[in-house]
């Protein structure tokens, strides 16, 4: 662990529920830039043991960069398989 970093708070998370909830605030940003943000999830339940807060930061950073560097009318897809 790096100095000053809190330990991870690991818990079992349903990714089928978590991903849409985490992406929800980013849809309006995509719309403002005339971009399409979409996601694809498996139909079967998909779970992970993770720190939801840490993964939210990672997802927000990745999608934020995609929104920043994708041209107008571009499509950003988040695929989880």
């Amino acid at each position: 662990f790096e100095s000053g970093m809190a330990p991870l708070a690991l818990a079992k998370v349903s990714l089928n529920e978590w991903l849409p909830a985490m992406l929800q605030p980013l849809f309006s940003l995509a719309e403002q830039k005339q971009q399409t943000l979409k996601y694809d999830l498996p139909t079967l339940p998909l779970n992970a043991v993770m720190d939801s807060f840490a993964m939210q930061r990672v997802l927000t950073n990745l999608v934020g960069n995609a929104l920043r560097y994708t041209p107008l009318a571009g499509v950003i897809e988040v695929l989880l398989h």
Side-chain angles (χ1 to χ4, degrees):
F1 290 87
E2 290 185 35
S3 178
M5 289 188 62
L8 296 176
L10 299 178
K12 183 178 177 183
V13 176
S14 166
L15 295 176
N16 304 77
E17 296 173 10
W18 181 84
L19 183 64
M22 292 303 105
L23 289 176
Q24 191 59 45
L26 300 171
F27 282 104
S28 61
L29 294 174
E31 193 174 287
Q32 290 172 11
K33 293 189 72 178
Q34 301 170 2
Q35 297 166 328
T36 301
L37 173 60
K38 56 186 179 177
Y39 62 90
D40 185 39
L41 292 167
T43 55
L44 297 174
L46 187 59
N47 298 304
V49 175
M50 64 183 200
D51 182 320
S52 292
F53 182 71
M55 285 305 295
Q56 179 182 1
R57 288 194 321 253
V58 170
L59 180 70
T60 301
N61 186 44
L62 288 171
V63 175
N65 285 338
L67 290 168
R68 185 175 300 116
Y69 296 109
T70 298
L72 289 176
V75 177
I76 299 154
E77 293 182 87
V78 179
L79 308 174
L80 188 56
H81 296 274

